[in-house]
Amino acid sequence: MANAPIPVTVLTGFLGAGKTTLLNRILTEQHGRKIAVIENEFGEVGVDNQLVIQSDEEIFEMNNGCICCTVRGDLLRILARLMKRKDRLDAILIETTGLANPAPVAQTFFTDPEMREQFSLDGIVTVVDAKHILLHLDDSPEALKQVAFADVILLNKTDLIAPAELDALEQRLRRINAVAKVYRAQNADVPVDRVLNLGGFKLERAVEVDPQFLEMEYPFEWAGGYELSPGVHELEIGHDPSEADDAHDGHGHEGHAHHHHHGEHDHECGPDCGHNHNELDVVVLPVKSFAEPDLTAAINATVQTYSDWEAIKLPGEALEVGPKLNRLKLAAEYGKFKVPIAAAGRYLIFTAHDVPTHFYLPSGAFTKYAWDRTFRHEHAHDEAVASVGISVPGDLDGKKLNDWISELLKTKGGDIYRMKGVLCVKGTNKRLVFQGVHMLFDAKFDREWQRDENRTNTLVFIGKNLDRAALTEGFKACLA
C-alpha cells in the first residue's frame, strides 16, 4: 500500500456550521493517523488558522482567496509539496471556506493527471447547521451544492431545534441528496471513522449533479498572445491612481486609449470577493505559434507552472520569462513591471485574475494582443454576501465589548451569517476566542498569548448589508 494514492477528504459546510469544531475533534482524537490539513477561508483577515488547535498534525493555510472559484495555484503548490514528503501521510483534510461550492476542489483530483495518480478523493463531508440552514438553502446556491455533493452530511447543532423540526429538516436534506449518509450530532461530536476513509465519492453522481464537473478549472483567468521584438517591454497592471477618473476599466467603456481588457468577461471582482487584489500571479511563456496544438501544450504546461513556487516581484522589477510563476506585489491594485525579451517571437501572458492589463513595447508604444482567451471561471458567491475584516492592536475593555456585541446581535444578527475572532482583553494574558452565527454567540478564554505572537485583535464579519465604517468604529470604541 506504500504507493497507493493518499485519501483526501473535503470538509465543507455553510458559514458557522461547525467545520472548525469537527476539524479540532479529528486533530485531537487518538486515531493513530498522520493527517495534513489544508485550510481556506473567506474574509479579509485570516482568523481560522488561529482557531484551529495546535497539534502534531501539519496545518497549511491557503492564501486568502477562493479555491471554490478556480483550482488555485496555492492548492496545487501545497499538494505538490506534500507529494515530495519522505514519510507517508495517511490522509489529507481540505477545509473549504463556508461560501465554497466544493465541486472545483474535488475536480483537482480528476482533471490533473499527477494529482489523480498521487491522491484519491475519499469523500466530501458537509457539516449542516440544524438551526440556521433553512435560512440559506433557498437563496444560497453554495449551501445547496454543499448538500448535493456530500457523501456524508453531518447534521450538527441538533440540540438547538425541536425533534419534529429536526426530522422535517433531515427529510428535506434527503430530498436534495438521497444517497449521502446523514449523522446527527451536537458540537460536531462523531466518530472519526464516519468522516475519514469513506471510499464514498462517486464520480458519476458528481457529473449528474453538475454536468460540467469534469470541465477543467484553470488557476488563471486570461491569456493573451503577443508578437514581441527583443528588448525590455513594460507590463502595467491596473489603473494608475494618478490618472483622471475617466480612465475606465475596459468593461465596454470608452476612456484611456491604451486600455486592454481580458475578453468579454461577465464577472468583475468586488472589494469583498475574497481575492487579494494587491497580488497577481503572472506567467510569461514563449510559444511556437498561436495555433493548436502549440496553444494546448502551452496552457497545460502553465497549469503545472502555477503549482510551483512563486518568485515575488515588486513594482519596477523584471519578470522571469519562461515556466516560472511571478507573484506581482501591487500598490493599491496597481504596478508597472519589466519584461525582458531576449529573442523575437510569440509569447503568452497568463494572469490569475481578470484585471486591466497594458503592455508596452520598448519604444513606449502600446501593443495589443494578437490572440486571447478567457478561461472558465465560475464565481458563484452570492454577490450580496461580503466580509469585513478588522485588525486592531490594543487591549479591549471587557464590559464595552460585551455591550457592543449584544447590541450588534440584537439589531444586525439576522444579517450576520458568521462572526469570529481572537481578541486581547485588558487584565488577562489569555486569548479571548469568539464565534457567532446570526443571533448565537459564544466567547471563551483559551490559551495564553505566546511571547513571539503578534498580540493583535483579529476578527471578521461575513454577511449581508454590513456597514464597514460602523463596525470598525464600534469595535475601536471598545478599546480600553
Side-chain angles (χ1 to χ4, degrees), residues 5 75-77 79-80 83 108-120 304 307:
L75 176 59
L76 292 171
R77 272 192 292 278
L79 291 170
M83 280 192 286
T108 311
F109 305 99
F110 292 94
T111 55
D112 186 283
E114 191 173 16
M115 296 296 140
R116 193 166 59 236
E117 181 181 333
Q118 299 288 335
F119 305 102
S120 65
Q304 297 303 317
S307 72

Side-chain angles (χ1 to χ4, degrees), residues 327-341:
R327 176 158 292 173
L328 312 187
K329 296 289 187 178
L330 307 177
E333 304 175 31
Y334 175 78
K336 289 184 178 181
F337 301 84
K338 298 174 182 177
V339 183
I341 300 298

